Amino acid sequence: MSGLRFIENLVGFGRALRTVGIPVTPSQVGELTQALSWVELGDRAEVFRTARAILVKRREDLLLFETVFNTYWRHPDIPVPQARARPPAPRDPPRRSAFTVATYAAFKARAEMEERDVADRAGTYSDEERLQRKRFAEMTPEELDAARRMLARFRWEASVRVTRRYSSDPTGASVDLRRVLRHAGRLGAVPAYLPRRSRAEKQRPVVLLADVSGSMERYSKLVLHFFHSLVRSMTDVETFVFGTRLSRITPHLRLRNVDRALAQAGREVVDWAGGTRIGACVGEFNRTWSRRVLRRGAVVVVVSDGCDRGDPSVLAREMRYLKHRCHRLVWLNPHSGHEEYAPRVAGMAAALPFVDNFLPARDIQSLREFGEVLKRVRASGRGIGPRRLGETRPPGIRVPVGSGNA
Amino acid sequence: MFESIDATRAALEREGYFTDPGLATSLFLSLRMQKALFLEGEPGVGKTEVARVLSRVLDVPLIRLQCYEGLDINHAVYEWNYPRQLIAIQARAGGHEGDVADIFSEEYLLRRPLLQAIDRSHERAPVLLIDELDRADEEFESFLLELLGDFQITIPELGTFRADHPPVTVITSNRTREIHDALKRRCIYHWIDYPSPEQELKIVLGKVPEAPEALARQVVAFVQRLRREELYKLPGVAESLDWARALTHLSTEDLDEEVVDRTLGLLLKYQDDVDLVRGRRAAEVLAEIESR
């Protein structure tokens, strides 16, 4: 094989990898060319390992790389299967055409139409006030739309935690020696100026898990709107939805346009309105994701009615595991919050002992209250006893004895 | 440095590190190309050990930086010796500006691991181990980007330090969070998987020579089988070694249900996992490996 032809093949190989979503830069291909001069080219396995070492930077890509390698180096000329194993991260598409006077007029017209829309539907102040307390379950489709628009305007905040980093702070507890000495060195005098510092604060990570199974069907679109507004207003949020299987939808919800974000997320979910296996799904989260997303004092929020077709003891076991690995475990239930509610469904009863804050999510007002809880979750709740804040567990709930040790 | 991939692997084996050709290839390339080796894998598969063995093989010092949340320049690179600086200022109290300008000289500098690693006094490149990078904050990663690029560090008061011999760098991550691609691109990436049964047997026999071979075989078969169970935390090679050692201390010749139940805590680190395996499940697994 001549040198030039060989390099052409390597470049083609890099291109083949890029088409399936493995990011390979031209400089990596250059490095590979160099590295292949150090190994035995006749040894296919050795060439494979060399290429893998230089081109693959993520564990998820390892298997895909092997497939492409085998296909490409057997028949470099046939195109690699176009199936994208990992599509590129979704993003808001750029505006296609140039911005002209005509498009400006169109934009303006559209904006005006929207204004009329709002006047028509969301209506007056008293309408919004009424919607605050109206249960989602009883809302008409128009009212749900209005509720979603109200959600989009929410600004959420997670409570903060003290990090180990310092930042300068005039009222801080400790003296910033480095700055003291820099001043003293400059002035050539006894340190007189004492700048202070304190530990920096940071918002806690928030992890959201929503049930989108059959029994939650009528809420699921609203829940996604709710998640979208959370993702858009905080920095460190992870979102998952589950029915019979768990899917991570964080990257999709990062899109600014809520409809597009929801459409993208919807494609990710395989089992809309299917059965529910909360225990198994929380277990899947615990095993595959918890170590990666539950760090630095995360707050976990589960949105579900607790109707679980799986074994309650499995759910209890997974909830206990989850509780011990997050700072605070909040459960939002769209059915709870009125007098006669009791967690009759076995799943809810099994999960309840491990929940720190059991909150209703039946109307806009209750979501606002949840926002307050999220903001106020303060330092180390564990051990002091759960349910200090946002205590809304209705009277008369009896937690089955012993379900915690299943 | 090594002549070939096989030579790399053989050198590691002489120091008791049994590996697959994949890791040997990555290591060989990282040394040749003078790039950092980025090792990812589950806890207890021997990521840190690679750096230790490497420092023994190359016969150079190992400089280790353990990462943790809040790790900053003061703990990773350098810090000024404030107490000494204060004393120096006080001893010359009332002096002029020129008298105390020297408190920012090398005499008052505390060298932390990264600065040590690029120090000029090394005759040969040391091994620099940046352990569990995923524990550090993202801010620290961007600093590393700069360091790995050209192995130089600038201290505002003193000027730029540059390594004569860029250190052989090994970075490990337990993958509790994703490390940024920009950093990984500057490294040779390698995912260390759990070893194959043959390889793990070699490791156990090599590291725990006092264990009888029959027992070591049983230990490896049992642990390998456990890795297929639905557990929160699978046992790593470190756990196999601990277990083999513990069983030897208990003078166990042959695994049975009772001794497994008593020592399961060495293998499984979560009570939920222990509860799941202890008793019937353990007996089933034992029967299964016996029958093979």
Side-chain angles (χ1 to χ4, degrees):
Chain A
M1 200 187 289
S2 81
L4 192 62
R5 171 100 178 102
F6 181 57
I7 290 170
E8 269 174 18
N9 276 339
L10 284 180
V11 171
F13 181 48
R15 200 177 306 127
L17 289 172
R18 277 195 293 275
T19 52
V20 295
I22 302 180
V24 173
T25 62
S27 76
Q28 280 175 304
V29 177
E31 283 167 7
L32 178 61
T33 319
Q34 189 194 16
L36 286 177
S37 66
W38 301 324
V39 303
E40 190 61 54
L41 279 180
D43 185 343
R44 188 185 168 86
E46 201 164 302
V47 171
F48 168 73
R49 288 191 293 264
T50 307
R52 184 180 64 183
I54 288 174
L55 302 180
V56 182
K57 304 288 172 196
R58 276 187 284 215
R59 190 205 175 187
E60 299 84 74
D61 294 341
L62 288 174
L63 204 66
L64 194 59
F65 175 83
E66 195 172 335
T67 319
V68 176
F69 183 92
N70 285 333
T71 324
Y72 186 85
W73 292 106
R74 246 171 229 134
H75 320 277
D77 296 323
I78 58 163
V80 185
Q82 288 295 313
R84 280 180 176 272
R86 194 188 43 232
R91 56 178 70 152
D92 286 315
R95 196 174 288 137
R96 274 195 205 93
S97 52
F99 206 69
T100 62
V101 177
T103 47
Y104 171 71
F107 257 80
K108 209 175 154 203
R110 204 191 302 165
E112 276 166 12
M113 270 167 64
E114 268 172 20
E115 266 171 37
R116 215 175 305 133
D117 274 2
V118 174
D120 283 351
R121 284 190 268 158
T124 57
Y125 175 76
S126 64
D127 252 2
E128 287 212 350
E129 192 68 348
R130 190 175 52 80
L131 277 184
Q132 300 276 336
R133 283 275 164 209
K134 181 144 187 178
R135 298 185 52 183
F136 295 132
E138 291 159 2
M139 282 186 183
T140 62
E142 290 77 29
E143 284 173 329
L144 275 175
D145 267 353
R148 282 197 280 270
R149 280 202 299 277
M150 280 160 76
L151 268 184
R153 295 203 303 267
F154 272 32
R155 285 294 162 267
W156 306 88
E157 248 178 88
S159 73
V160 292
R161 58 185 272 276
V162 177
T163 66
R164 294 187 45 108
R165 272 174 192 281
Y166 283 100
S167 64
S168 118
D169 173 5
T171 61
S174 58
V175 172
D176 190 345
L177 273 177
R178 175 161 190 165
R179 280 169 62 210
V180 170
L181 282 154
R182 205 176 304 149
H183 271 275
R186 207 178 295 148
L187 298 174
V190 178
Y193 169 57
L194 297 180
R196 297 184 159 267
R197 60 178 194 169
S198 64
R199 300 246 192 225
E201 291 187 338
K202 209 173 181 179
Q203 284 200 355
R204 289 179 184 281
V206 176
V207 177
L208 306 163
L209 294 157
D211 186 341
V212 293
S213 62
S215 61
M216 288 285 290
E217 192 183 1
R218 60 186 154 162
Y219 305 108
S220 51
K221 193 167 178 210
L222 193 74
V223 166
L224 288 185
H225 270 267
F226 170 53
F227 279 14
H228 183 258
S229 82
L230 282 158
V231 169
R232 295 289 315 168
S233 51
M234 294 189 287
T235 48
D236 199 351
V237 184
E238 282 288 341
T239 44
F240 299 85
V241 292
F242 62 87
T244 51
R245 279 170 53 192
L246 183 80
S247 350
R248 175 169 178 262
I249 55 171
T250 315
H252 307 295
L253 290 189
R254 289 220 180 94
L255 293 182
R256 193 187 315 242
N257 183 316
V258 63
D259 297 317
R260 204 169 282 136
L262 260 56
Q264 287 276 1
R267 236 167 274 155
E268 194 76 11
V269 182
V270 282
D271 53 351
W272 285 105
T276 330
R277 296 187 310 143
I278 308 180
C281 289
V282 175
E284 197 184 331
F285 172 81
N286 285 342
R287 285 181 190 82
T288 19
W289 287 100
S290 66
R291 277 206 322 127
R292 293 164 70 178
V293 299
L294 295 186
R295 356 169 240 119
R296 321 243 148 126
V299 177
V300 176
V301 181
V302 181
V303 185
S304 170
D305 55 3
C307 289
D308 186 12
R309 289 191 207 157
D311 182 355
S313 71
V314 173
L315 178 59
R317 181 159 59 91
E318 302 297 350
M319 287 300 287
R320 184 177 52 205
Y321 183 90
L322 185 58
K323 181 198 161 55
H324 288 162
R325 273 150 196 90
C326 63
H327 177 72
R328 199 148 268 256
L329 184 49
V330 180
W331 190 297
L332 292 177
N333 188 326
H335 294 166
S336 87
H338 49 100
E339 297 306 312
E340 64 271 34
Y341 175 79
R344 280 194 206 87
V345 278
M348 197 62 252
L352 209 52
F354 308 105
V355 174
D356 292 316
N357 295 89
F358 182 70
L359 302 174
R362 56 179 184 149
D363 52 22
I364 293 276
Q365 184 57 34
S366 58
L367 291 185
R368 275 191 209 287
E369 280 159 22
F370 159 72
E372 286 304 307
V373 172
L374 194 61
K375 214 186 292 180
R376 284 175 11 231
V377 172
R378 270 277 163 198
S380 76
R382 199 171 305 140
I384 299 174
R387 280 175 279 277
R388 279 179 307 151
L389 297 167
E391 164 69 75
T392 51
R393 177 187 275 199
I397 285 194
R398 284 190 314 277
V399 176
V401 178
S403 62
N405 318 317
Chain B
M1 294 296 153
F2 308 112
E3 276 306 301
S4 67
I5 296 170
D6 288 337
T8 314
R9 192 176 174 193
L12 291 181
E13 274 187 22
R14 273 197 299 281
E15 283 295 330
Y17 193 91
F18 297 92
T19 179
D20 57 75
L23 177 59
T25 308
S26 298
L27 180 59
F28 168 77
L29 288 172
S30 83
L31 291 172
R32 267 292 165 95
M33 300 164 74
Q34 298 207 344
K35 283 186 150 206
L37 180 63
F38 190 106
L39 297 174
E40 241 178 7
E42 300 296 330
V45 290
K47 299 183 292 292
T48 306
E49 192 64 16
V50 172
R52 290 210 194 98
V53 169
L54 200 56
S55 95
R56 288 205 297 271
V57 170
L58 300 174
D59 193 24
V60 290
L62 173 70
I63 299 169
R64 174 176 174 163
L65 175 67
Q66 169 68 50
C67 295
Y68 53 86
E69 193 200 337
L71 177 69
D72 56 11
I73 306 279
N74 292 341
H75 292 100
V77 191
Y78 72 96
E79 186 156 45
W80 294 103
N81 192 339
Y82 304 124
R84 282 196 62 195
Q85 288 181 320
L86 278 172
I87 290 170
I89 290 182
Q90 277 185 340
R92 286 171 277 179
H96 299 289
E97 190 177 333
D99 295 345
V100 285
D102 69 321
I103 59 168
F104 289 106
S105 62
E106 288 204 40
E107 198 187 333
Y108 297 96
L109 191 66
L110 296 175
R111 288 152 199 273
R112 305 291 194 208
L114 294 185
L115 191 58
Q116 286 169 20
I118 64 162
D119 199 284
R120 283 245 169 79
S121 62
H122 296 298
E123 279 167 28
R124 280 185 296 156
V127 174
L128 169 65
L129 167 64
I130 300 173
D131 214 3
E132 305 191 342
L133 179 61
D134 50 337
R135 284 175 189 266
D137 316 86
E138 278 92 351
E139 291 91 330
F140 184 67
E141 264 173 56
S142 15
F143 171 77
L144 269 190
L145 268 180
E146 206 182 313
L147 178 77
L148 295 180
D150 39 29
F151 289 105
Q152 64 175 37
I153 288 172
T154 303
I155 299 177
E157 295 90 346
L158 278 183
T160 301
F161 288 69
R162 180 189 281 278
D164 283 343
H165 307 281
V168 175
T169 311
V170 178
I171 302 175
T172 75
S173 160
N174 280 334
R175 211 164 181 251
T176 58
R177 70 180 171 84
E178 220 51 67
I179 303 294
H180 201 277
D181 274 356
L183 183 69
K184 289 197 201 163
R185 268 203 300 276
R186 282 166 176 74
C187 307
I188 298 287
Y189 173 86
H190 187 79
W191 172 266
I192 302 193
D193 229 330
Y194 292 115
S196 64
E198 302 76 41
Q199 204 181 317
E200 189 164 15
L201 183 64
K202 265 199 236 171
I203 298 171
V204 172
L205 288 173
K207 291 273 174 187
V208 195
E210 63 273 23
E213 196 182 324
L215 180 70
R217 268 179 206 288
Q218 283 183 318
V219 164
V220 169
F222 192 89
V223 172
Q224 292 265 343
R225 181 64 193 77
L226 271 194
R227 290 197 189 121
R228 278 185 275 141
E229 294 286 315
E230 271 221 346
L231 300 172
Y232 290 114
K233 160 102 180 48
L234 300 178
V237 182
E239 277 78 27
S240 310
L241 292 175
D242 277 349
W243 199 38
R245 270 185 212 116
L247 291 172
T248 319
H249 283 306
L250 297 174
S251 323
T252 313
E253 301 267 302
D254 197 40
L255 277 186
D256 59 47
E257 211 183 313
E258 197 228 328
V259 74
V260 168
D261 275 1
R262 273 195 295 151
T263 53
L264 210 51
L266 284 145
L267 219 46
L268 301 172
K269 301 298 158 95
Y270 287 148
Q271 191 54 38
D272 298 279
D273 287 346
V274 175
D275 290 343
L276 190 77
V277 173
R278 175 168 284 161
R280 202 160 54 87
R281 193 78 201 99
E284 282 167 21
V285 172
L286 268 182
E288 196 183 315
I289 62 171
E290 215 97 310
S291 66
R292 268 187 295 153

